[in-house]
Amino acid sequence: MVKFPTRLHPALCALGLLLQYFAFAQNLTDSQSSDVETRLAEGATHPWELGTRAQAILEHNVRAFSVFSLNIPSTSVPSDSSSAIAPVLSIAKGVVNNRTASNGNITGAQPLVADDSAADPASIGPAVLLANWTNLGDGVDYAGAALDQLNFLYEKVPMTSDGAISHRTGELQLWSDFVYMVPPFLAYYGLLTNNQSLITDAYTQIKLYRNYLRDTSSGNLWAHIALGNNSNGVANDPGHWSTGNAWAAAGMLRVLATIQSSSFASDMSSEQDDLANWVFEIHAAMYPHLDTSSNLFFNYADEMNTFLDAASTALLASTVYRLSLLRSVHHYLPDAEKCRETLFMSNSSGLVHFSSDGWLTPVVNPDYFSAEGSDSPESQAFILELQAAWTDWVNDGSQGANGGSKTGSLGGGTIIVAVLSVLWMLLF
Ligand SMILES: *[C@@H]1O[C@H](CO)[C@@H](O)[C@H](O)[C@H]1NC(C)=O
Ligand SMILES: *[C@@H]1O[C@H](CO)[C@@H](O)[C@H](O)[C@H]1NC(C)=O
Ligand SMILES: *[C@@H]1O[C@H](CO)[C@@H](O)[C@H](O)[C@H]1NC(C)=O
Ligand SMILES: *[C@@H]1O[C@H](CO)[C@@H](O)[C@H](O)[C@H]1NC(C)=O
Ligand SMILES: *[C@@H]1O[C@H](CO)[C@@H](O)[C@H](O)[C@H]1NC(C)=O
Ligand SMILES: *[C@@H]1O[C@H](CO)[C@@H](O)[C@H](O)[C@H]1NC(C)=O
Ligand SMILES: *[C@@H]1O[C@H](CO)[C@@H](O)[C@H](O)[C@H]1NC(C)=O
């Protein structure tokens, strides 16, 4: 065992504090973000991955065209944004051009992509609506494809008796993932066509899903999958899947931002209040389960025998910054900051939670939600969304950094302690 001279102890202590300070200052470099984006582009192939990738690119690279800018987007893309938005429009074009072939050349109500999930193809809907809106002039019928997707959801997909649209085509089954895939599309369709009933239905679908999936006996964590009976290959899953809780919170915030951007905002204040409260409800249910030694969530939030998952940790943290920005609800910011600092932490060999080529780790397998996986495209999108939400929050003055109390700033305090410790180290 190595024995240190005792006078080194303060120096080591100072070094530790300095390292802690640099961990606080942690941020992805442009080249690290670009690796994350490249891996996402390579990996995203499933419908929900394409939709999530499009949304992450808008939030991270083309802020003026993301719903979080709280504007109706411009109908023309400024030339300095055209290369940033190109991958989003290219997802829309690829999907719409291939649509009828993938659906067996049918006409009328149909999903954007043939899939067992009724919800996932709709996640690409906002990109398709944006392609129509910005008038690419390439002769592709984006508006027709979006309308067919909308009609498909209402006309061809099973519904509960109270109107919740199924997440699956083959049987009536409700997944928490749905909240990110469908309501943001309905709301965005309503925003761009000035149709309040669609925006209202985005809200109503969320309300219905919450009724089915919120588990009051677990302190309001959402169950992952309700109803259905495995006739379609997926049994229901009453467990509290962390990514599902994060999907739900993130979908609600997109709808909330869309309502705020619309001409119906003042008319829909109680809907906005509900959405904000339901996001907060998920934060309040989830954060007590954050594993304090890793600052990550378990794959099933309240099942400590499941593996640790950085994907859900990233997406949920992004929703804390978004809720703070949209509604000045700051309570869970210190938790989100802890998670972000952990995820973006480096040691001398680079980012601790990423592979050398930029894949987030450890992550749930995106194709098999109860197993640990690697190289998860959705987790790459979550990182961009986290980086974007945090950056927007910093640019807005980091309001509520201490969780809403009036005094104290951890960052500043840490700097002072680190500086004093260095002085101590130099003196002795
Ligand atoms: C994070 O780093 C990026 C790339 O260097 C930079 O553009 C951005 O301003 C930084 N964000 C914050 C909040 O420091
Ligand atoms: C287009 O659709 C066909 C038929 O479903 C499918 O095999 C092919 O992979 C799709 N191509 C793209 C680029 O999505
Ligand atoms: C769809 O149309 C294309 C082009 O006309 C044709 O090649 C293909 O065989 C058709 N597919 C089906 C399932 O009918
Ligand atoms: C498509 O864009 C045009 C304006 O460019 C707009 O008038 C129309 O409502 C849009 N359609 C949809 C379905 O968003
Ligand atoms: C709003 O959208 C719904 C669903 O597509 C449609 O039935 C309704 O006619 C639309 N309302 C207006 C005012 O366009
Ligand atoms: C359960 O499966 C059967 C077919 O095996 C199906 O008829 C029924 O609708 C399913 N129930 C639900 C709630 O999806
Ligand atoms: C840096 O972190 C990685 C991932 O935890 C670990 O494998 C590696 O050993 C660490 N390197 C150093 C120099 O601490």
Side-chain angles (χ1 to χ4, degrees):
M1 194 182 157
V2 184
K3 199 166 178 351
F4 289 105
T6 43
R7 70 181 187 88
L8 267 187
H9 282 182
L12 286 174
C13 163
L15 210 62
L17 283 160
L18 258 183
L19 289 175
Q20 191 195 351
Y21 168 65
F22 284 116
F24 264 92
Q26 197 49 266
N27 182 6
L28 299 182
T29 63
D30 284 338
S31 108
Q32 289 165 339
S33 297
S34 138
D35 282 351
V36 169
E37 273 186 71
T38 307
R39 299 293 88 77
L40 169 59
E42 289 164 1
T45 53
H46 295 105
W48 85 86
E49 292 168 340
L50 296 175
T52 305
R53 176 176 172 232
Q55 178 64 21
I57 292 171
L58 293 175
E59 291 178 25
H60 190 262
N61 300 346
V62 213
R63 287 176 157 74
F65 286 83
S66 142
V67 287
F68 293 118
S69 69
L70 304 183
N71 280 314
I72 294 182
S74 159
T75 52
S76 66
V77 178
S79 57
D80 64 357
S81 297
S82 59
S83 67
I85 206 173
V88 176
L89 302 180
S90 144
I91 288 170
K93 185 169 183 160
V95 162
V96 173
N97 272 336
N98 202 38
R99 178 180 67 115
T100 49
S102 114
N103 290 331
N105 294 340
I106 58 167
T107 56
Q110 59 187 292
L112 286 163
V113 183
D115 201 68
D116 289 339
S117 168
D120 294 351
S123 72
I124 310 165
V128 171
L129 288 167
L130 199 52
N132 165 68
W133 187 253
T134 55
N135 189 15
L136 291 182
D138 56 6
V140 178
D141 183 14
Y142 297 105
L147 179 61
D148 287 347
Q149 170 65 77
L150 184 73
N151 289 338
F152 176 77
L153 288 167
Y154 288 112
E155 293 169 12
K156 310 263 172 171
V157 177
M159 268 187 197
T160 60
S161 56
D162 54 359
I165 299 170
S166 175
H167 184 83
R168 304 283 292 178
T169 53
E171 68 174 333
L172 178 56
Q173 193 170 64
L174 309 182
W175 297 37
S176 49
D177 318 39
F178 175 97
V179 176
Y180 194 86
M181 308 305 157
V182 173
F185 167 60
L186 302 179
Y188 202 54
Y189 204 117
L191 176 75
L192 296 185
T193 59
N194 207 35
N195 182 322
Q196 187 173 8
S197 70
L198 282 173
I199 301 187
T200 300
D201 200 43
Y203 162 84
T204 303
Q205 289 297 324
I206 293 169
K207 184 183 173 121
L208 291 166
Y209 264 71
R210 176 174 169 273
N211 287 344
Y212 284 98
L213 293 174
R214 182 173 63 122
D215 180 359
T216 51
S217 74
S218 75
N220 295 323
L221 291 168
W222 282 38
H224 183 202
I225 302 176
L227 308 183
N229 51 22
N230 210 12
S231 63
N232 207 23
V234 186
N236 56 35
D237 178 6
H240 309 121
W241 188 43
S242 294
T243 301
N245 278 270
W247 281 131
M252 288 190 233
L253 284 159
R254 289 170 65 192
V255 171
L256 173 59
T258 309
I259 296 175
Q260 281 192 29
S261 313
S262 77
S263 57
F264 313 111
S266 58
D267 215 39
M268 297 183 71
S269 63
S270 72
E271 286 85 349
Q272 292 173 64
D273 291 348
D274 283 347
L275 290 167
N277 289 336
W278 299 340
V279 172
F280 186 77
E281 178 179 83
I282 288 179
H283 293 163
M286 286 290 288
Y287 278 106
H289 295 291
L290 187 71
D291 174 51
T292 48
S293 59
S294 64
N295 292 331
L296 301 178
F297 286 109
F298 294 101
N299 186 46
Y300 284 80
D302 53 351
E303 295 180 42
M304 293 172 69
N305 58 340
T306 60
F307 55 87
L308 293 165
D309 172 49
S312 51
T313 305
L315 183 58
L316 197 70
S318 79
T319 68
V320 173
Y321 298 103
R322 290 292 172 206
L323 186 64
S324 165
L325 282 162
L326 290 176
R327 299 284 298 200
S328 301
V329 174
H330 307 309
H331 189 78
Y332 288 100
L333 279 170
D335 295 275
E337 281 284 86
K338 246 189 327 198
C339 293
R340 185 188 58 74
E341 284 155 6
T342 296
L343 295 173
F344 294 174
M345 177 172 62
S346 291
N347 65 16
S348 56
S349 40
L351 290 165
V352 171
H353 277 292
F354 291 82
S355 67
S356 56
D357 56 350
W359 288 105
L360 183 66
T361 183
V363 290
V364 56
N365 182 336
D367 299 325
Y368 189 60
F369 46 77
S370 58
E372 187 168 347
S374 61
D375 301 4
S376 156
E378 70 194 35
S379 79
Q380 304 298 101
F382 300 162
I383 287 295
L384 297 180
E385 294 183 343
L386 172 57
Q387 170 89 352
W390 171 60
T391 303
D392 287 358
W393 174 75
V394 169
N395 291 342
D396 192 50
S398 304
Q399 300 191 36
N402 50 22
S405 69
K406 296 252 185 302
T407 55
S409 152
L410 195 46
T414 311
I415 295 170
I416 292 166
V417 173
V419 168
L420 288 177
S421 309
V422 171
L423 285 176
W424 178 270
M425 180 169 71
L426 292 175
L427 285 173
F428 297 94

